[in-house]
Amino acid sequence: MTPLCITCAVVGAELTREQTPHLPITPQEIALEAAGAHRAGACMVHLHGRDPRTGAPSQSSAIFTEILEELRRIDDQVIVQVSTGGAVGMSVEQRCGSLDVPENLRPEMATLTCGTVNFGDDVFLNPLPAIREIAGRILARGIKPEIEAFDAGHLDTAKHLANKGLLPEPLHVDFVLGVPGGMAATEQNLRFLVDSLPQGWTWCVAGIGRNEFPMARLAIEWGGHVRVGLEDNIYLDRGVLAEGNAPLVVRVAQMAAEAGRPLATVDEARAILRL
Ligand code: KMH
Ligand code: ZN
């Protein structure tokens, strides 16, 4: 069985300290959470930035540089994937600040959302010209994109861009299911999406909120990969807050062990994801 790649989305853009006191905010806190997630079994971390004074989401290259400097000081192994989604309302220029870090800190992956989606009461805007622009910036830096698909049409857009030669195959896709306004986190929907993938593409699923562990279970059984983390879900059990990211990773690692699926090391993940 292919080893399981666990990605940990440690901070996100929307979560607040009012929702959970375990949210990391400063570059040091974010780096510590990322390293802890790696120790718990994740091979990759998905990173957003936060303004350390206010906690507001930030894609500033200075903040990403600080996070990555600190992370590399304590963990020089974990695969780094930066967000180019940022937060709703950010411009393409702002969102891509995460890509502009010194070369020695350059991430191996960056997200590329392939379509617009309602996002609660907001709209996460990703028109085609923006997708092409962000894709170009990711590829120009030799970074591998992870396609973020919040809906079925986003996968079709990724295929369209690949067919036009604007995205190199095989791609890696993260199905983000259960965002209010996006595609629901159901077994039927995930089956449809996985069956719609082109040959050789790899996939992972991020179930939002209470969908996190049920979706993880399906991915473990079906040979896909899993994203967990406070960005997507803050609860370990009903009403029980996860005391950081590591407990969420440990839960998925336990599920994988029960299913007889080994966890991917960072080197195995690099081979599986073709980094
Ligand atoms: N914060 C969401 C609006 C990504 O990281 O690429 C977008 C997001 C996707 O989190
Ligand atoms: Zn994100």
Side-chain angles (χ1 to χ4, degrees), residues 6 74 130 151 158 193 244:
I6 302 178
I74 56 178
D151 216 330
L193 291 166

Side-chain angles (χ1 to χ4, degrees), residues 24-242:
I25 287 179
T26 67
Q28 290 71 23
E29 289 167 349
I30 293 171
L32 264 179
E33 279 294 299
H38 180 205
R39 279 196 304 277
C43 57
M44 176 152 66
V45 288
H46 166 79
L47 300 179
H48 287 250
R50 295 290 183 127
D51 181 325
R53 286 162 302 129
T54 63
S58 170
Q59 292 289 108
S60 134
S61 52
I63 287 176
F64 270 86
T65 301
E66 270 194 68
I67 295 170
L68 295 174
E69 272 172 350
E70 186 60 21
L71 177 58
R72 286 321 186 199
R73 204 178 58 75
I74 56 178
D75 181 335
D76 61 358
Q77 290 297 311
V78 68
I79 300 169
V80 169
Q81 176 194 89
V82 297
S83 169
T84 67
V88 290
M90 286 181 178
S91 66
V92 167
E93 200 61 42
Q94 287 173 315
R95 285 165 58 173
C96 288
S98 57
L99 301 173
D100 285 329
V101 295
E103 215 170 310
N104 63 319
L105 297 172
R106 193 165 275 172
E108 289 173 82
M109 292 195 95
T111 55
L112 177 67
T113 299
C114 279
T116 294
V117 62
N118 282 343
F119 202 85
D121 287 349
D122 297 315
V123 179
F124 181 31
L125 208 60
N126 293 285
L128 257 179
I131 300 170
R132 285 194 214 99
E133 174 65 30
I134 297 171
R137 292 186 189 213
I138 292 172
L139 297 176
R141 289 160 178 76
I143 299 170
K144 174 150 178 166
E146 175 182 274
I147 305 303
E148 304 299 299
F150 291 74
D151 216 330
H154 298 186
L155 177 57
D156 293 321
T157 297
K159 289 191 215 175
H160 165 77
L161 293 171
N163 286 338
K164 287 205 153 257
L166 296 174
L167 289 174
E169 296 186 69
L171 286 165
H172 179 61
V173 183
D174 178 31
F175 299 119
V176 186
L177 301 182
V179 168
M183 203 165 176
T186 65
E187 178 167 347
Q188 201 180 17
N189 282 348
L190 185 61
R191 187 74 260 168
F192 169 73
L193 291 166
V194 172
D195 289 346
S196 305
L197 281 171
Q199 190 71 31
W201 289 25
T202 49
W203 64 278
C204 139
V205 66
I208 302 302
R210 64 175 180 274
N211 303 299
E212 186 163 76
F213 298 125
M215 288 294 111
R217 190 173 300 286
L218 292 174
I220 290 167
E221 284 172 11
W222 296 352
H225 303 283
V226 173
R227 182 175 109 170
V228 287
L230 293 176
E231 174 167 348
D232 301 334
N233 165 48
I234 60 175
Y235 293 105
L236 205 49
D237 285 303
R238 197 184 169 88
V240 180
L241 285 174

